[in-house]
Amino acid sequence: MRAGGGREALPLALRLLLIATACGLVFALLNLPDGRARSPGTGGERERAGGLGPRLLVEQLRGREARRLSVVTEEVDGQSDEIAAEEDERISESPPDTKEKIWMMQDQLIMAKAYLHFASPHGSTHLVRELKLRMKEIGRAISHSSGGSHVPGSALQKMKAMETTLSKAQRTYPRCCQMTSKLRAMTQNSEDLLRAHQSESSFLEQVAARTLPKGHHCLAMRLTTEYFSLDPTEREFPKRNSRQMDGYYHYALFSDSVLASAVVVNSTIAASKDPRMIVFHIVTDALNFPAMMMWFLTNPPAPAAIQIESLDNLKWLPSDFSSRFKQKGIQDLRYTSAFNHLRFYLPEVFPSLSKVLLLDHDVVIQKDLSGLWDIDMKGKVIGAVETCTSDNGYHRLDSLVDFSNASIFNMFDPKTCVFSLGMNIFDLHEWRKQDLAATYNKWFQLGKRQRLWKAGSLPLGQLVFYNQTVPLDHQWHVQGLGHNTNIGREEIESAAVIHYSGKFKPWLEVSISKYRDYWSRHLNYDNPYLQQCNIHG
């Protein structure tokens, strides 16, 4: 029995020895520095003979290990981010020396994570494990050190250990600088694509903003046709010349848009305490004059009075007035329109008036404006809202005007606050007294010879009316509804005048939808002309 038992015990011992040897081989293969198992020449025969040879076993084990490390990486990343978020407040309360040590440990965490992300999946698994271990240690060290008066000695040891591991990683992954170059190239390419898309988007916005909607074209054609079908005696407003003097509130509007003008007139009357004291003066171009006349003949602004004049009838204007403001490379009509520059001829447009309120056609009146005529102008020419405390538009003069020119530099303060145009009360008597017409001509001619300011009439207005402005309360005039989506409802509704300055006018499909109702509520969409031309709110 003993002899038989000895024979059975020997194979069992051999089997145990073979299993131990195989495990040792697998462990050695997993830890080879180049990450590949080197089998002897007969390895292929063993695999074929045994079905599952050491190389295949190693590959399967390595696959499981890689998947496990990937999960651990995600866990470590999440733990590190969570630690950083939770510890920020406590770190801020730590002594300076402690803060610096904690920040150093946080930097080490970032470096370790970077090496993990950029490490090759076929690289040293031993180093990957070491990095993860050091990250856990540093994470705990940060947690224990935050909010304390000093960093424990154990944490300092962990920092040294991490530094050693990071040095190994740097030697193992020396190509990180190439990865940085690649990422920079990718970033540059993305930025180029973004700029191209932004340019395309800007171009399409300009096209949409400059294209007359089909319904508006239809309206102008129908009104024009019907105007010329009227008897000449029917083409006059009643009592046309009865309200020329200063006993009334005179509102001036320069526009080529029938609907825009209609909204300004309707909203002004709706907000006025006494619309019988209002006289509207609309100046338009010859092309739109018949349509403008027909609209207000069929929709009179009673009890207010109205006068409509064609730009071509102002014979005293320069012969090239309609085209002289066009600039090479600038297509935006907001900057090249003759109507915007007609404001500099107000004393000549209204020779019998001493005060006039000039409104842009993209405004809506929400409160009675008669109080503007009672403001003490203090010998100044224009009343306007300044933009220095506003989020809209420009703020200081040097943002509009080139101060490298000696003529500008010697005469103006670059930090002067920019005032807004679009809703302004003018003292025409003071304007004539100070001969601002000569001032305008001087700067206009200089600006034609060399580019000294940005496009449009706003920069030129800052120079012409320099030191001639009475600041108005901000609530008189809120701008930006044509470009700024962040204007609050309370600010809009408390304003006397809201201004759709910008590309996105309220009558366009590209307008900012949340502001459109403030404009469209002043049109009657049941009007036969609007119905026939399919114009809806």
Side-chain angles (χ1 to χ4, degrees), residues 386-458:
E386 295 182 333
T387 63
C388 294
T389 58
S390 169
D391 291 333
N392 299 309
Y394 300 96
H395 300 294
R396 304 289 179 183
L397 190 56
D398 57 2
S399 65
L400 292 171
V401 178
D402 181 10
F403 274 84
S404 65
N405 181 275
S407 300
I408 301 292
F409 182 81
N410 293 330
M411 295 189 65
F412 302 98
D413 179 359
K415 299 306 177 185
T416 299
C417 187
V418 169
F419 61 83
S420 59
L421 297 177
M423 194 290 295
N424 305 105
I425 185 75
F426 288 93
D427 186 334
L428 302 184
H429 174 73
E430 197 65 34
W431 185 325
R432 299 182 187 102
K433 180 181 176 181
Q434 299 195 30
D435 194 19
L436 291 188
T439 303
Y440 166 75
N441 287 323
K442 167 191 170 184
W443 290 113
F444 178 76
Q445 295 301 327
L446 185 61
K448 282 184 67 175
R449 292 194 295 270
Q450 50 187 314
R451 186 70 64 86
L452 297 178
W453 47 77
K454 294 190 176 181
S457 61
L458 178 64

Side-chain angles (χ1 to χ4, degrees), residues 181-403:
S181 299
K182 181 179 179 180
L183 289 174
R184 284 176 179 167
M186 292 171 62
T187 302
Q188 181 66 39
N189 184 53
S190 298
E191 289 176 349
D192 291 342
L193 287 173
L194 177 61
R195 280 192 290 270
H197 287 309
Q198 287 176 334
S199 178
E200 181 181 353
S201 175
S202 177
F203 174 76
L204 293 175
E205 286 177 358
Q206 288 287 352
V207 170
R210 291 165 50 196
T211 303
L212 182 68
K214 183 178 179 181
H216 291 230
H217 179 72
C218 165
L219 178 65
M221 293 298 293
R222 284 185 174 274
L223 289 169
T224 300
T225 301
E226 295 204 17
Y227 176 77
F228 285 114
S229 69
L230 292 176
D231 187 274
T233 60
E234 298 177 315
R235 299 177 187 175
E236 300 287 339
F237 291 109
K239 302 179 182 179
R240 182 179 182 187
N241 298 314
S242 62
R243 299 185 180 184
Q244 293 295 312
M245 305 309 292
D246 285 337
Y248 297 89
Y249 302 124
H250 295 270
Y251 292 76
L253 178 65
F254 306 148
S255 175
D256 58 359
S257 170
V258 170
L259 288 186
S261 301
V263 168
V264 174
V265 169
N266 293 346
S267 63
T268 301
I269 292 174
S272 174
K273 295 177 180 177
D274 190 0
R276 297 172 301 173
M277 300 299 296
I278 293 177
V279 181
F280 293 103
H281 303 271
I282 299 179
V283 179
T284 188
D285 54 24
L287 182 65
N288 290 282
F289 177 79
M292 194 77 74
M293 286 290 296
M294 191 63 197
W295 176 267
F296 285 106
L297 283 169
T298 55
N299 299 277
I306 189 168
Q307 295 179 336
I308 299 177
E309 193 74 64
S310 171
L311 195 63
D312 288 3
N313 290 338
L314 304 179
K315 302 300 184 182
W316 43 265
L317 284 172
S319 58
D320 64 340
F321 184 78
S322 296
S323 60
R324 70 189 312 191
F325 307 108
K326 295 180 180 179
Q327 298 182 35
K328 186 177 180 180
I330 299 175
Q331 303 297 325
D332 195 328
L333 296 179
R334 293 175 298 153
Y335 300 136
T336 60
S337 170
F339 289 120
N340 286 336
H341 286 264
L342 190 59
R343 74 179 79 244
F344 300 113
Y345 295 86
L346 279 173
E348 290 80 15
V349 177
F350 304 111
S352 62
L353 298 182
S354 62
K355 273 191 179 182
V356 66
L357 179 66
L358 180 63
L359 299 170
D360 279 2
H361 73 172
D362 55 349
V363 304
V364 173
I365 314 305
Q366 301 189 129
K367 295 182 180 180
D368 180 73
L369 301 182
S370 59
L372 290 170
W373 273 264
D374 298 327
I375 290 176
D376 181 6
M377 297 293 286
K378 303 175 183 177
K380 305 293 185 181
V381 173
I382 177 176
V385 171
E386 295 182 333
T387 63
C388 294
T389 58
S390 169
D391 291 333
N392 299 309
Y394 300 96
H395 300 294
R396 304 289 179 183
L397 190 56
D398 57 2
S399 65
L400 292 171
V401 178
D402 181 10
F403 274 84

